[in-house]
Amino acid sequence: ELAFTYAGEAFESRVRPLAESIGAKLVLPCDVTDDNQINAVFETLKKEWGGLDALVHSLAFAKKEELKGEFLNTTRDGFKLALDVSAYSLVALVKAALPLMEGRDASIVTLTYYGSEKVISNYNVMGVAKAALEACVRYLAADLGPKNVRINAISAGPVKTLAAMGITGFKGILDMVEVKAPLKRNVTQEDGAKTALYLLSG
């Protein structure tokens, strides 16, 4: 059984049809900058399921204007927002989910990108946020391992998604990877999903 969350009506219009197409009954609002909404999601899951075997953290955000030009021009508010939504949200969700996961051989997966390690044009503050996300994964792994809960981050490379297409010059990155990759193709969403499924399996 799967549950889906969304932030705002625009995302609900995309998430709800996906959930319905696979028979998922739970589609819940969850603005990850609001602890009350996070807690409400996991209270609902506790009531409906009693426990939780897997959590997928597949979200990130930075203001569009922060993803072009020089990183030097990142604003304080833009920095805080990107780090809150893209990195701290993992910590907040895990904290709320843990009582439902502890002792169940449960697994958590998040998504990161190479821009956390190397400078990628126009990735800017998102690269910093992904570096923070990866550090969060390592520290959470140390906390969660003794509780029999695994956590991993997938760095699949550039993948054509709605969010990625918001990065200036992203198509050029895809074209370059296709030429240079040993398989002469880009990673697909299905490739990433299969990797997540493996990591989420008990």
Side-chain angles (χ1 to χ4, degrees):
E1 289 183 87
L2 297 176
F4 290 80
T5 62
Y6 62 88
E9 291 180 7
F11 284 108
E12 182 182 9
S13 67
R14 293 176 179 275
V15 171
R16 192 169 290 281
L18 171 63
E20 289 171 354
S21 74
I22 60 168
K25 296 172 185 171
L26 295 175
V27 183
L28 307 167
C30 186
D31 175 347
V32 294
T33 65
D34 183 339
D35 288 331
N36 291 327
Q37 283 197 34
I38 291 173
N39 291 332
V41 166
F42 291 99
E43 281 299 320
T44 299
L45 296 182
K46 181 179 180 181
K47 184 171 144 187
E48 293 289 328
W49 294 344
L52 188 64
D53 296 311
L55 173 67
V56 177
H57 176 269
S58 179
L59 61 105
F61 181 78
K63 293 179 181 178
K64 188 159 182 140
E65 57 268 27
E66 307 282 357
L67 299 177
K68 57 187 174 184
E70 295 183 325
F71 171 70
L72 180 66
N73 295 320
T74 303
T75 65
R76 186 181 298 275
D77 285 343
F79 189 95
K80 287 196 296 189
L81 181 61
L83 271 285
D84 188 6
V85 175
S86 309
Y88 181 74
S89 63
L90 176 65
V91 180
L93 289 169
V94 170
K95 191 185 302 183
L98 187 58
L100 302 180
M101 303 182 89
E102 198 167 354
R104 292 176 65 95
D105 191 27
S107 183
I108 300 161
V109 166
T110 188
L111 303 176
T112 187
Y113 178 59
Y114 185 60
S116 66
E117 300 176 37
K118 304 292 181 185
V119 173
I120 304 293
S121 295
N122 300 310
Y123 203 56
N124 293 1
V125 71
M126 189 53 71
V128 176
K130 290 297 189 182
L133 178 72
E134 291 174 16
C136 289
V137 169
R138 289 189 288 271
Y139 278 89
L140 286 169
D143 289 343
L144 299 175
K147 305 177 195 305
N148 202 28
V149 177
R150 302 181 307 282
I151 184 167
N152 288 281
I154 298 171
S155 183
V159 179
K160 190 174 181 180
T161 63
L162 181 66
M165 295 311 285
I167 298 168
T168 304
F170 184 73
K171 186 177 182 312
I173 295 172
L174 286 176
D175 292 343
M176 182 183 66
V177 169
E178 188 171 0
V179 170
K180 295 191 172 187
L183 291 175
K184 303 302 178 193
R185 69 171 180 84
N186 280 289
V187 173
T188 66
Q189 291 182 36
E190 186 176 359
D191 294 329
K194 287 177 177 177
T195 303
L197 189 59
Y198 162 71
L199 291 170
L200 293 170
S201 299

